[in-house]
Amino acid sequence: DTAVSQTPKYLVTQMGNDKSIKCEQNLGHDTMYWYKQDSKKFLKIMFSYNNKELIINETVPNRFSPKSPDKAHLNLHINSLELGDSAVYFCASSQSPGQTNNEQFFGPGTRLTVL
Amino acid sequence: AQSVTQLDSQVPVFEEAPVELRCNYSSSVSVYLFWYVQYPNQGLQLLLKYLSGSTLVKGINGFEAEFNKSQTSFHLRKPSVHISDTAEYFCATQGNTGKLIFGQGTTLQVKP
């Protein structure tokens, strides 16, 4: 199926640990995003990559490091996890930002719980 | 700076009744507007979008929205809702870097 996929779907971990979330899209898109949805369901952009280059970094702590090995993958690594990192993380992809039809397709989300 | 405001955090409605979810936007540049739906424990799905042209936009599942430049609004409407429409609805605008700027979300609760 053509889609945006994320692994894992659920992630429960202890404070201080390091964890990664993976995202893959097979839509042939050039741009990928990470969004964070907090406990109040508010969605906010974290990062965006276009053809493996970082184009958006929205004042996210340095503990968060995105990595894009190729334009079909955008992984999110989080060091020294804190309680406040508990949230649902969504990956999305789209064509290049400059194109008019720039619909973003979202993955199913990864629910991160930090204990 | 671009932003959107969803005026209602929760909208309860009975099945088969009409519904309107309100969204106002703020932007000094060309406006792209979107409505996304999030069903429980799922990702976001695009309902409809306004990029240019006709101000009345029709989307999936019987939803439509009207772009009103004078009132800076992009309200979502459905003439008759179903139980299955119960979900979280997000209005969003798009910056020139492609990022989506979301409103606070509106919970639509359809009651039998």
Side-chain angles (χ1 to χ4, degrees), chain A residues 19-87:
Chain A
K19 291 292 178 185
S20 292
I21 307 172
K22 295 185 177 181
C23 179
E24 177 181 1
Q25 56 93 6
N26 59 6
L27 298 165
H29 290 160
D30 294 327
T31 308
M32 296 185 72
Y33 310 81
W34 277 109
Y35 289 88
K36 179 180 180 180
Q37 186 174 43
D38 64 21
S39 59
K40 295 183 179 179
K41 298 192 176 179
F42 184 62
L43 278 153
K44 189 169 166 40
I45 184 77
M46 298 175 69
F47 300 103
S48 174
Y49 272 72
N50 180 256
N51 278 325
K52 301 194 298 177
E53 289 191 19
L54 181 67
I55 57 172
I56 298 174
N57 184 342
E58 289 281 314
T59 61
V60 177
N62 291 338
R63 299 182 294 103
F64 290 79
S65 54
K67 286 185 173 53
S68 182
D70 55 63
K71 71 176 189 178
H73 296 84
L74 179 61
N75 304 323
L76 183 65
H77 189 75
I78 316 170
N79 289 328
S80 302
L81 278 155
E82 300 178 356
L83 293 176
D85 298 331
S86 295

Side-chain angles (χ1 to χ4, degrees), chain B residues 19-25 32-36 46-69 73-79 89-92:
Chain B
V19 70
E20 178 180 82
L21 306 184
R22 298 181 293 166
C23 174
N24 285 0
Y25 69 89
Y32 298 154
L33 291 163
F34 305 80
W35 275 99
Y36 281 85
L46 182 68
L47 275 177
L48 48 80
K49 60 187 175 187
Y50 172 78
L51 304 178
S52 65
S54 174
T55 56
L56 183 62
V57 180
K58 292 190 182 298
I60 62 171
N61 301 340
F63 284 94
E64 65 180 31
E66 185 159 16
F67 173 68
N68 188 320
K69 188 174 182 178
S73 68
F74 190 57
H75 300 334
L76 181 70
R77 301 185 183 101
K78 186 169 182 177
Y89 291 80
F90 293 95
C91 181

Side-chain angles (χ1 to χ4, degrees), chain B residues 8-111:
Chain B
D8 308 293
S9 60
Q10 292 188 356
V11 174
V13 63
F14 287 105
E15 195 174 17
E16 297 184 6
V19 70
E20 178 180 82
L21 306 184
R22 298 181 293 166
C23 174
N24 285 0
Y25 69 89
S26 172
S27 175
S28 59
V29 296
S30 297
V31 177
Y32 298 154
L33 291 163
F34 305 80
W35 275 99
Y36 281 85
V37 60
Q38 184 180 24
Y39 297 105
N41 298 314
Q42 294 188 28
L44 280 80
Q45 181 181 5
L46 182 68
L47 275 177
L48 48 80
K49 60 187 175 187
Y50 172 78
L51 304 178
S52 65
S54 174
T55 56
L56 183 62
V57 180
K58 292 190 182 298
I60 62 171
N61 301 340
F63 284 94
E64 65 180 31
E66 185 159 16
F67 173 68
N68 188 320
K69 188 174 182 178
S70 62
Q71 297 186 5
T72 60
S73 68
F74 190 57
H75 300 334
L76 181 70
R77 301 185 183 101
K78 186 169 182 177
S80 175
V81 294
H82 302 129
I83 295 286
S84 60
D85 293 321
T86 294
E88 193 78 19
Y89 291 80
F90 293 95
C91 181
T93 187
Q94 191 167 55
N96 56 6
T97 55
K99 71 178 183 181
L100 286 170
I101 302 161
F102 288 93
Q104 301 90 329
T106 298
T107 304
L108 176 62
Q109 180 71 42
V110 181
K111 304 176 180 179

